[in-house]
């Protein structure tokens, strides 16, 4: 491995046509690992802004700096994440910074509103930060300045963590990002610096030990790597509408790749609420089971959870619909196996014989689609 250290390396800035205020301190010849998949921990208090996790480099190689919530250094400032860029056989780090607008960060999809271009997680209005509820996890914190805006990825999500070179993103700075690069920037806050230093001295964060799947992938509080608010890599139970690092209700195995797809976001005539999130397709474990509930009414949008075989739900096989009225029950895209028939006899629910709700035998009323929440 060839390690190049310099105090003023601006090599990659020339390639991206971006003038960075912060110097690049290290460049290496081995690409960083892919970004781990993880769930966003809940916000600790109003006013915090999400800063995504990233791979940094030290004397022992790459190490993971967990994503965390941070108070901005001043009202009106947004965080532009750092990124690794490739040029002439080396990978150079471009440090992140605070500024009035989001600059170029290599086209890296860090998730939770950082889709590779700009930031869709929130904005400043009247000196107060407003949060997009579709990509932020509020937990039990009461956030009053919120709005709903679906985040759609126009390109495939690959979890790649660097720009240029073999396998890297091919993004180039937009005119708006070029303008943002020339604004006044504020470097990492002391809390962010402390957070990165704590990760660099923790052996569990080193890629050589965690093989790209850190046990602490994100945390609610900077520098806190244990206890409540700590999330490991490979789990995905966050709100729908997030990017590769925040998915729908399914769980995927460590290292799984999530791909974002736009959700329909329509409101059916049934009692279910309107969905405006982005559905996520996951690789990995089984969904909560097949079969619909006893409700009626047209179905709303649903989350595609691709995994192992789903267990049989109360609605039986196939589309898993039963007759009957009442409020609509949620369902997933996993369908259970067939419902075993009851003993022969006269008509009765769940058994063989004559017509009955949810079973075979005779004619039955047309099924009602169900509303998904």
């Amino acid at each position: 491995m060839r390690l190049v250290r310099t105090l003023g390396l601006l090599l990659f800035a020339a390639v991206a046509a971006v003038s960075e205020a912060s110097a690049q301190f290290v460049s290496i010849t081995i690409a960083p690992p892919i970004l781990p998949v993880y769930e966003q921990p809940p916000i600790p208090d109003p006013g915090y802004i999400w800063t995504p996790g990233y791979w940094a480099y030290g004397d022992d190689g790459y190490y993971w700096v967990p994503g965390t919530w941070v108070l901005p250094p001043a009202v009106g400032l947004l965080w532009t994440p750092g990124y690794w860029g490739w040029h002439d056989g080396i990978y150079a780090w471009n440090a992140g910074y605070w500024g009035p607008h989001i600059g170029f960060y290599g086209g890296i999809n860090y998730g939770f509103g950082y889709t590779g271009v700009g930031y869709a997680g929130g904005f400043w209005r009247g000196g107060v930060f407003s949060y997009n509820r579709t990509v932020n996890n509020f937990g039990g914190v009461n956030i009053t300045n919120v709005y709903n805006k679906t985040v759609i990825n126009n390109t495939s999500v690959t979890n790649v963590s660097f720009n240029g070179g073999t396998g890297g993103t091919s993004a180039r700075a937009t005119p708006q990002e070029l303008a943002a690069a020339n604004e006044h920037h504020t470097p990492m806050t002391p809390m962010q610096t402390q957070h990165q230093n704590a990760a660099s001295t923790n052996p569990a964060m080193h890629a050589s030990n965690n093989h790209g799947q850190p046990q602490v992938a994100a945390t609610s509080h900077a520098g806190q790597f244990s206890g409540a608010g700590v999330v490991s890599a490979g789990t995905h139970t966050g709100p729908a509408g997030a990017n590769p690092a925040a998915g729908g209700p399914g769980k995927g195995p460590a290292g799984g790749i999530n791909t974002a797809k736009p959700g329909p976001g329509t409101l059916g005539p049934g009692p279910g609420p309107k969905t405006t999130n982005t559905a996520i397709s996951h690789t990995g474990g089984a969904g909560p089971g097949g079969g619909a509930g006893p409700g009626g009414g047209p179905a709303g949008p649903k989350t595609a959870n691709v995994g192992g075989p789903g267990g049989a739900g109360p609605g039986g096989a196939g589309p898993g619909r039963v007759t009957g009225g009442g409020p609509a029950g949620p369902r997933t895209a996993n369908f259970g196996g067939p419902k075993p028939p009851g003993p022969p006899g006269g008509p009765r629910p769940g058994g063989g014989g004559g017509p009955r709700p949810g079973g075979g035998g005779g004619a039955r009323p047309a099924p009602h689609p169900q509303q998904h929440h």
Side-chain angles (χ1 to χ4, degrees), residues 163-351:
N163 177 283
T166 303
T169 67
S170 58
R172 292 293 180 265
T174 65
Q176 293 78 11
E177 290 168 333
L178 289 173
N182 293 318
E183 296 174 332
H184 174 72
H185 296 157
T186 301
M188 290 195 304
T189 65
M191 183 56 70
Q192 286 177 286
T193 301
Q194 178 184 341
H195 181 68
Q196 178 173 316
N197 290 341
S200 69
T201 58
N202 189 329
M205 299 297 166
H206 296 171
S208 57
N209 294 327
N210 60 43
H211 307 291
Q213 295 297 315
Q215 285 300 306
V216 181
T219 177
S220 290
H221 302 276
Q224 180 177 310
F225 298 160
S226 62
V230 171
V231 176
S232 64
T235 60
H236 246 326
T237 58
N243 296 313
K251 289 188 177 182
I257 303 298
N258 295 329
T259 56
K261 297 180 181 179
T266 56
L267 179 63
K274 182 177 180 181
T275 299
T276 57
N277 295 333
T278 302
I280 302 297
S281 173
H282 298 267
T283 60
K302 61 182 178 178
T303 300
N305 188 2
V306 182
R321 298 179 181 179
V322 300
T323 62
R331 62 174 180 174
T332 67
N334 289 333
F335 301 102
K339 180 177 181 180
R348 62 186 183 277

Side-chain angles (χ1 to χ4, degrees), residues 42-58:
I43 189 172
D45 281 302
Y48 281 73
I49 292 179
W50 178 253
T51 59
Y54 57 95
W55 290 104
Y57 195 89

